[in-house]
Amino acid sequence: MILFNEQNKVFTIHTANSTYQMKVSQHGHLLHLYYGKRIVDEDVSYLIPNVVRSHESNPAEAGVDRVYSLCAYPQEFSGNDAGDYRIPSIEVVNADGSYAFVGKYRSHKIYSGKYRLSSLPTLYASNEENAETLEMILKDEVTHAEVKLLYGVFYEKDIITRAAVFCNHSEGDIHLERLMSANVDFMTGDFDMIGFFGHHYLERQTDRRHLSHGINEIGSFRGVSGHFHNPFAILCDRNTNEDTGNAYGFALMYSGNFVFDAEVDGYSQTRIAMGIHPKQFDFLVRKGECFEAPEVVMAYSDKGLSKLSHSYHDVFRQNACESRFVRSERPVLINSWEPFGFSFDSEQLIKTAEISKELGVDMFVLDDGWFGARDNAKAGLGDWVANEKKLPGGIPALAEKIHSMGMKFGLWFEPEMINEDSDLYRAHPDWCLRVPGRDPARSRHQLCLDLSRPDVCEYLIEAVNKILDDGSVDYVKWDYNRYVCDVYSSYYPPERQGEIYHRYILGLYRIMDGIIKTHPDILFEGCSGGGGRFDGGMLVYFPQIWCSDNTDAPDRLTIQYGTSFMYPVSTMGAHVSVCPNKRTKRTVSFKTRAVTAMHGTFGYELDPAKMSEEERKECAEYSAFYRKHQKLIMSGDYYRLSSPYDDSIFTAWQFVSKDGTESLVCVVTEDILINDKNSYVCLRGLEENAFYRIEETGQVLSGAALTNIGLLLPHSQPQYSAFVFYLTRIEATVVSR
Ligand code: GLA
C-alpha cells in the first residue's frame, strides 16, 4: 500500500508488517524518515532533532537556518559534493568538470503492478498479486540531470524492492561514476550485520558482527558476485535471533561487482548503501541517455531471522524466475563430473545411465569434456561441437539412447569462457578480455570472452542454441569457472573502458535471454565453480544453482545453512558423492550424505557401477524418499532449528507445509551422542494445540511438547549420524485432556 500525503509531502509504504516513510523537505530534498515495524503515524519527522550540528554545512537555500543540514538529516538518495559527507548514492562528472549532483523532488507516480527494468533482471508480479509501484523523479536543478527512484511493493510478503535510473537531461555528456540502487538512513538502532563469505569449496559461511563506527563493507570486485562475499546482507538488532527481534535484508539482483556499505556516522546513525561496485566503474551517459542500476530486494521482519528468510523464500520461489520448472517437480539426477571427469566414452555413460535408472534416478547429466578437444582443462572451451571420438553420433545419438531408457538427458556448458587452444580462439583472438600490450592472467587455463561485444554474444547464442534446438537436451548446467580481470575491450574506445565490467554483465543477461528464455522446455541450472555465482540476478534465469563443489556432508551443513538465509531450498543443487570424500577425505554414512543432499535439488555425483549392493539399495530408497517428500521440501516453510556454528551437538532443519498438515525434520549430529547426555531437537512452525504422528517412531505428540521440549534423539550414535522424522498433523485433537 503506497500513500502520499499531499499536505505534509509524506510518502508512506505499508506492507503487511512493515512501514517505510519518506518526506519531501521544505527545500525539496527527499528525506528518509523510517523503515521498520508497521506504524499508523502519517508523519514521523519528529524523529529528526531540531539541533544545530555544529560544523556541518547548511545548503544555501536554508539561509540562516543552521539546523538544516544534508549530513545530519536522513536522506533517501544522497547527492554529491553538497555537504552530505557520508557515502553518496551518486557520483558524476558533469560536462563542465564539476562533481555536484543534488536531487530534489520533482514528481511521482503510483500505480498497481510491479515495475521492470529494461536491461536488468528484476522480480516480477503476476496480475493476481497485490503489488504496487512508486516512481519518484529527483532532479538536479543546475544540470537538469534526473534520477528516477523505483519502489516495488509486495504487500503480503513484506518485501520492498528498489532501483534507480539516471537520465542525462543536461546539455552535455555526463560520466556516471557511482549509482547506488538503494540508500536507507536509520536514525535509530545499534545493529549487527550478517554477511555470507567464503571461497571455492566453502561458500556462504555466516559472519555476524557488530557494526563499528565508520564504513563496514562487503563486496566483490571479481567481475562476478563470487564465492567470497554474497550480494546479500542482513542488518538486525544485537539480540535478534531466529524467532525474535528486528531484521532487515538487502539482496542485489545483480551478478557482477557489487558493494554493500553500512556506515555508522559520528551521531551513531546508520546508512545502508547497496549497488554496483564503483571501482573501475565510469559509464558515459550521453545527453538524452539513461542508465539503470540493478534492483535491491529489501525485506523486514519484526520476528527474527526465520520470518525474514520466509519472506525471501516466498518471493524468490514465486516472483523471480518465470520458468515453468520453478513450480514443477525437479528430476533426481546423476552427474558425470565427480566419477569420470574428462575421461569417458559413450558406452560407459550409457552403462551408468542404465544402472542409475534402476536406482530411481530420472536424469543423466553429461558434464564437462564432451566437446572440441576437451580432454583436460587446457583446451576446447569455446568449441561447442561434440567430440565424435568420445561420442560417436554426437549429442543426438547419446541423448536418444538415454531417452529410450525413459530417462532425461542433461548437458554441461561454460559459454562465457575460451581456451587459447581452441578453434574459436584461433579464429578470434580479439574476442577475449585483454589489456593492450599486456599478457592476460589465466585461471584454470582459460580467458574470459568479451561479453561486452555484441558479436561475441550473438556467436554464443547461435553456437549453444545449435545444440539445444533439436530437442535432445532436457537440462543444461551453465558453468562459469574463473573471475574476471584484464578488463579491456578492443571493441570500445578508451573513454568507455570504465563500462566494460557492467557491459559484460549486460551481455551475459543478453545471452541468457537468447538461450534460456528461448528454450522454455529445458531446465537450466546455474553453476560457477560450485556456488560462486549464487545471486538474485541468476535466480531470474535459473530455478536451481549448484551450491558448492564441496559435496562433503559436514561441510555442506555450513554452506547450506548460510545459503538458506536468503535462498530457498528449492534453488540449491545438492548431491550425494562417494566416500572418502574427494576433497575432505572424510567418510560419513550414505544416509548422512543423502539426508544432507535432501536440503536441495537432489542428485548423485558417483559411479553407480562401483557401489556395493547395500549402497545401491540405499540409493534407491533415498531417491524414492526424496521424491515422496519433494513437494514439502520445495514449497514448505523452512526452519533452521540449530546452527552448525553453535555449541549444539547437532545441526537440524525442518520443513512445514504451508497448510501445516505435514512436516519433515532432518538432523545430522556433529558429535558423538554418548550415553550420558540426552539431546532434544525443538521443532518450530507447529500448532501447539494439535497432535502430530511421527512416522519413524510411531509416537503421537503435541505441538507444544515438540516445540518446547523437543524430539529425543537416539543415544549412542556415532558422529555424523543422520535422522529424519516425518510428522503428520492429526485433525480434530485437543491438547487439554
Ligand atoms: C566446475 C563445476 C563442477 C564441474 C566442473 C567441470 O568446477 O562446479 O561441478 O562442472 O566445473 O569442469
Side-chain angles (χ1 to χ4, degrees), residues 200-201 335 337-338 342 367-369 374 377 412 414 444 477 479-481 527-531 546 548-549 605:
H200 183 217
Y201 292 137
N335 181 294
W337 178 246
E338 288 216 15
F342 296 106
D367 207 280
D368 200 350
R374 186 79 170 164
W412 180 96
E414 193 178 357
R444 210 193 189 204
K477 177 175 170 187
D479 212 338
Y480 171 88
N481 279 318
C527 177
S528 169
W546 182 226
S548 178
D549 276 346
E605 303 251 346

Side-chain angles (χ1 to χ4, degrees), residues 550-553 577-587:
N550 186 343
T551 47
D552 171 57
S577 64
V578 292
C579 273
N581 184 275
K582 280 195 172 171
R583 321 266 169 247
T584 63
K585 312 290 176 234
R586 192 153 32 195
T587 295

Side-chain angles (χ1 to χ4, degrees), residues 90 92 101 145-147 165-167 174 176 179 285 289-291:
I90 187 167
V92 291
F101 180 94
E146 288 180 357
V147 169
V165 183
F166 175 80
C167 287
I174 294 180
L176 184 64
L179 182 63
V285 186
E289 290 178 350
C290 292
F291 176 90

Side-chain angles (χ1 to χ4, degrees), residues 57-225:
S57 317
N58 311 110
E61 53 271 43
V64 292
D65 179 1
R66 287 201 59 209
V67 172
Y68 194 97
S69 152
L70 297 182
C71 203
Y73 278 26
Q75 305 294 321
E76 184 64 17
F77 183 85
S78 166
N80 197 39
D81 202 22
D84 182 357
Y85 302 101
R86 294 166 291 178
I87 296 166
S89 304
I90 187 167
E91 283 179 284
V92 291
V93 182
N94 296 312
D96 62 3
S98 64
Y99 295 94
F101 180 94
V102 181
K104 290 200 176 177
Y105 170 81
R106 187 180 163 82
S107 62
H108 75 272
K109 259 199 305 201
I110 296 171
Y111 51 89
S112 62
K114 159 80 172 44
Y115 69 84
R116 305 292 287 263
L117 296 174
S118 61
S119 62
L120 292 165
T122 58
L123 296 182
Y124 73 97
S126 63
N127 292 339
E128 303 76 57
E129 191 123 21
N130 189 0
E132 272 183 295
T133 294
L134 165 64
E135 289 187 11
M136 196 157 2
I137 305 283
L138 304 184
K139 180 172 180 161
D140 183 283
E141 288 169 349
V142 176
T143 63
H144 304 298
E146 288 180 357
V147 169
K148 178 156 65 176
L149 302 182
L150 293 157
Y151 301 80
V153 184
F154 292 88
Y155 184 86
E156 284 84 11
K157 297 185 174 113
D158 291 323
I159 293 280
I160 300 175
T161 67
R162 305 273 305 269
V165 183
F166 175 80
C167 287
N168 181 0
H169 298 309
S170 79
E171 285 308 309
D173 296 342
I174 294 180
H175 282 267
L176 184 64
E177 299 193 329
R178 172 189 189 95
L179 182 63
M180 289 296 102
S181 304
N183 181 89
V184 183
D185 276 3
F186 291 92
M187 275 178 286
T188 61
D190 175 22
F191 296 113
D192 277 358
M193 171 168 116
I194 306 176
F196 302 91
F197 73 100
H199 53 80
H200 183 217
Y201 292 137
L202 209 64
E203 296 87 342
R204 290 170 297 286
Q205 301 298 293
T206 308
D207 182 17
R208 181 169 179 161
R209 63 186 122 136
H210 181 217
L211 285 185
S212 53
H213 285 87
I215 297 173
N216 305 260
E217 180 167 300
I218 56 173
S220 167
F221 188 62
R222 294 166 180 269
V224 54
S225 47

Side-chain angles (χ1 to χ4, degrees), residues 51 129 138 198 268 299 310 337 354 443 461 556 568 572 631 716:
V51 59
E129 191 123 21
L138 304 184
S268 297
H310 290 171
W337 178 246
E354 272 165 0
S443 177
I461 292 170
R556 273 282 182 141
M572 300 182 204
K631 193 158 172 254
S716 306

Side-chain angles (χ1 to χ4, degrees), residues 577-718:
S577 64
V578 292
C579 273
N581 184 275
K582 280 195 172 171
R583 321 266 169 247
T584 63
K585 312 290 176 234
R586 192 153 32 195
T587 295
V588 302
S589 72
F590 196 94
K591 180 174 182 183
T592 299
R593 285 175 271 157
V595 169
T596 307
M598 283 193 280
H599 190 293
T601 60
F602 188 76
Y604 300 95
E605 303 251 346
L606 39 73
D607 182 356
K610 294 193 178 140
M611 286 166 103
S612 65
E613 265 316 303
E614 180 57 28
E615 279 178 321
R616 286 193 196 186
K617 206 169 140 258
E618 284 187 281
C619 189
E621 276 169 20
Y622 287 110
S623 301
F625 186 89
Y626 178 74
R627 196 166 290 111
K628 182 171 164 209
H629 296 294
Q630 191 186 35
K631 193 158 172 254
L632 171 57
I633 292 170
M634 294 279 136
S635 59
D637 283 337
Y638 171 87
Y639 292 90
R640 292 172 290 271
L641 299 181
S642 63
S643 157
Y645 300 102
D646 66 19
D647 297 340
S648 157
I649 63 171
F650 56 81
T651 295
W653 59 97
Q654 183 187 359
F655 306 94
V656 182
S657 64
K658 288 276 181 194
D659 66 3
T661 55
E662 53 171 354
S663 178
L664 187 70
V665 180
C666 303
V667 186
V668 175
T669 66
E670 290 170 83
D671 209 338
I672 303 166
L673 291 173
I674 42 173
N675 197 24
D676 61 355
K677 191 178 171 205
N678 299 331
S679 288
Y680 302 96
V681 187
C682 291
L683 308 192
R684 313 225 336 265
L686 304 181
E687 281 173 46
E688 296 221 345
N689 60 354
F691 278 92
Y692 295 84
R693 173 170 291 112
I694 303 164
E695 190 172 86
E696 289 69 17
T697 63
Q699 291 161 311
V700 173
L701 295 168
S702 71
L706 289 165
T707 305
N708 301 305
I709 309 167
L711 276 170
L712 174 63
L713 293 183
H715 268 270
S716 306
Q717 301 292 322

